[in-house]
Amino acid sequence: MITITDNKGLMKIKGQHSVCIEPKQGICRMHIRILSGELRINHCCYSPDGGTWLESPGGKRQAHHDVSSGGVRELIFDIRESFGRKDKLMIVNPHFLKICEFEYEIM
């Protein structure tokens, strides 16, 4: 897994690898444009049971966003804390043999 620290960039994910984004707490806007392939963005909350970020967000916050090519898409996330740990966004390439290339900007 790769952790993104920049708020803007171009990424390529080969196979079923993932990228972790640790945005600031509060409302997070992400503009994303798929250049090739498709991806899934998972909004993950901390779970003390396993000490991982595998829990889905509570309330009416959406847990998964599937994104494929076709223009710029704006996604909005409400980043909170669970058990004292900030939520994370995981970008996953759902295809084992395909490459996903995308541009992103986090505001």
Side-chain angles (χ1 to χ4, degrees), residues 45-55 83 85:
C45 299
Y46 182 75
S47 171
D49 293 335
T52 61
W53 277 262
L54 295 177
E55 192 70 31
F83 302 96
R85 307 278 180 107

Side-chain angles (χ1 to χ4, degrees), residues 4 28 40 56 63 86 92:
I4 292 178
C28 167
R40 171 175 270 198
S56 295
K86 202 169 42 161
V92 179

Side-chain angles (χ1 to χ4, degrees), residues 6-99:
D6 298 330
N7 286 336
K8 187 175 184 178
L10 173 68
M11 291 288 305
K12 211 181 256 196
I13 304 174
K14 185 175 182 181
Q16 288 185 323
H17 290 91
S18 63
V19 175
C20 176
I21 299 175
E22 299 180 9
K24 295 179 182 177
Q25 194 167 337
I27 301 299
C28 167
R29 293 181 184 276
M30 175 188 282
H31 289 176
I32 193 156
R33 183 168 72 109
I34 307 299
L35 303 172
S36 66
E38 57 186 59
L39 56 80
R40 171 175 270 198
I41 302 173
N42 299 314
H43 184 165
C44 305
C45 299
Y46 182 75
S47 171
D49 293 335
T52 61
W53 277 262
L54 295 177
E55 192 70 31
S56 295
K60 296 183 179 186
R61 299 183 295 162
Q62 188 170 339
H64 311 287
H65 297 269
D66 291 319
V67 185
S68 55
S69 58
V72 176
R73 188 146 166 221
E74 181 181 64
L75 303 173
I76 299 172
F77 302 93
D78 183 5
I79 304 298
R80 300 181 189 171
E81 278 190 5
S82 300
F83 302 96
R85 307 278 180 107
K86 202 169 42 161
D87 298 353
K88 294 182 180 185
L89 303 176
M90 302 289 185
I91 300 176
V92 179
N93 180 356
H95 301 287
F96 187 70
L97 300 174
K98 294 182 182 177
I99 293 175

